[in-house]
Amino acid sequence: MADLDRIAYVNQLELDFDNTSANDLAVNDATMDGLAADEFAQDGGAIGDASRAKASAYVVGSEVVSFPSNISPQHRQDVINSCLMAQMAANMRYPRDEDAQKHFNHYFQVLGQLGWDTTGMTLSEVHDAASHGTVNVLVLKTLAQILQPAAFSLEQTTINALNKPGKAISFLNQHARGRDQKSSTFNVGVCRYSEANNGNVIFDVGYYSHKANHTIDNILFSTLSDHRVGFSQGSHKIELDARVYKELRETVAKRVAPYAPKYIQSIFV
C-alpha cells in the first residue's frame, strides 16, 4: 500500500471513541504517573525525558506494553499510538465480549495497515487453565516461551507492579473487561529492537481471552479455579517497519492524542 493510501486509511478508520467528545474525556490532573497528560501533545510528541534512559511500562487501554531502557522515546510513542489506534478500531468493529478471535484478527489487520508485519495470528483454547490458579501465572507461562530472559524479567516486574491498587490496574480493568463484566480480552508484551532491520521495533506479545461465570474484578489476578472458566491465548512476534510508520506518525498521533489520557497510564517498574 502506498504511503498516501495508508494516510487516507488512518484518517478514515472508524474508532470506538469517535462519538465521544474530547471534553467528555478531559481530566483535571495528570493521568499518567510521572508523565503529565499534556506531554501527549496534539502533534504526538515523544513520551518524555523521564523515559529516555530507563525501562518503562504502560497500560494502553486493554494492553500492557513494556520497554527496555534502550528503546527510544519516539519509538515508545510509536508503539503506544499505533497499538491504541488498532485496539480502538477492533473495539468498534468487533466488541471484545462478542468474538475474541475476530477482535484480535481485526486488531492485527489494522496494525498491518500501519506498517507492522503481523502475519500468523492464532488464538487457541487452554484446556487446563484452572490448574494455573490465577491469570497472571498463565500469562507469564505463555510469555516465558517467547521472551528472552531479560525481557521476561522486565515483564515479571511489570505484572508484579500491577498487583496493587492504582490507576494503571484500574485502566486495564476498565478497558479489558467486556460489557457483561464476565469476560476480558487483553494483550501483554515487551518491545525490543530488530537485529536484522536497524531501527525497526519488535513487539513480542501474548494475547488472551478470559470468560468466567462471575464478575471479573481484576483482569490479571482473577482466579481460574472455577471448572467452567474459558481461557484462550496466543503469542506473536510483530515488527514495525520504521520507514513506513515514519510517514504515518503524525497522522496517527493526531487522531489518538486527545483521548490518550483516558487510555494510557504509566506503570512504575
Side-chain angles (χ1 to χ4, degrees):
M1 180 183 289
D3 291 338
L4 289 178
D5 292 336
R6 291 182 189 272
I7 291 172
Y9 173 86
V10 170
N11 281 324
Q12 295 168 12
L13 192 62
E14 290 187 291
L15 308 175
D16 79 342
F17 47 51
D18 280 350
N19 293 325
T20 306
S21 72
N23 290 334
D24 291 337
L25 294 174
V27 291
N28 294 322
D29 58 1
T31 59
M32 293 163 280
D33 296 336
L35 290 175
D38 60 6
E39 286 191 86
F40 282 86
Q42 293 292 328
D43 64 356
I47 282 181
D49 291 341
S51 298
R52 190 175 299 278
K54 61 182 182 180
S56 62
Y58 299 86
V59 168
V60 182
S62 61
E63 302 187 55
V64 179
V65 186
S66 300
F67 300 97
S69 60
N70 68 322
I71 303 294
S72 73
Q74 183 61 69
H75 286 146
R76 299 182 200 207
Q77 189 79 66
D78 292 345
V79 172
I80 287 172
N81 285 348
S82 57
C83 286
L84 179 56
M85 172 165 278
Q87 181 187 143
M88 296 299 97
N91 290 345
M92 182 73 178
R93 181 70 64 87
Y94 300 109
R96 61 183 65 254
D97 54 354
E98 292 184 3
D99 192 320
Q101 180 74 56
K102 289 182 178 179
H103 177 88
F104 282 127
N105 279 340
H106 195 65
Y107 167 85
F108 285 114
Q109 178 184 342
V110 173
L111 284 181
Q113 299 294 339
L114 300 182
W116 289 88
D117 179 359
T118 61
T119 55
M121 179 269 171
T122 303
L123 190 66
S124 303
E125 184 178 357
V126 180
H127 296 288
D128 63 342
S131 67
H132 294 83
T134 55
V135 171
N136 61 306
V137 174
L138 186 48
V139 167
L140 286 171
K141 180 180 179 180
T142 304
L143 295 176
Q145 300 172 13
I146 64 172
L147 298 179
Q148 295 297 317
F152 182 71
S153 177
L154 173 58
E155 200 58 75
Q156 283 183 304
T157 300
T158 298
I159 290 177
N160 288 338
L162 288 168
N163 194 15
K164 59 183 178 181
K167 289 180 180 178
I169 190 62
S170 294
F171 271 41
L172 182 63
N173 289 334
Q174 174 188 348
H175 294 296
R177 265 198 301 254
R179 293 167 296 183
D180 61 1
Q181 305 293 300
K182 296 180 180 180
S183 62
S184 66
T185 305
F186 60 97
N187 306 346
V188 181
V190 183
C191 290
R192 58 185 168 93
Y193 280 123
S194 169
E195 296 180 0
N197 298 302
N198 186 36
N200 285 3
V201 174
I202 291 174
F203 186 24
D204 294 308
V205 59
Y207 38 93
Y208 309 90
S209 174
H210 178 200
K211 292 184 180 294
N213 67 342
H214 54 78
T215 298
I216 299 176
D217 294 319
N218 194 320
I219 300 301
L220 280 175
F221 303 97
S222 60
T223 180
L224 293 169
S225 59
D226 193 306
H227 69 281
R228 285 171 289 184
V229 74
F231 200 95
S232 298
Q233 66 179 18
S235 61
H236 209 7
K237 180 187 82 170
I238 61 177
E239 182 172 338
L240 180 59
D241 188 318
R243 184 200 64 79
V244 171
Y245 193 78
K246 181 179 179 181
E247 303 303 319
L248 303 176
R249 178 179 290 141
E250 182 178 355
T251 308
V252 173
K254 285 183 176 179
R255 287 214 65 188
V256 302
Y259 306 93
K262 276 293 183 178
Y263 288 85
I264 301 170
Q265 176 67 45
S266 67
I267 306 166
F268 285 117
V269 294

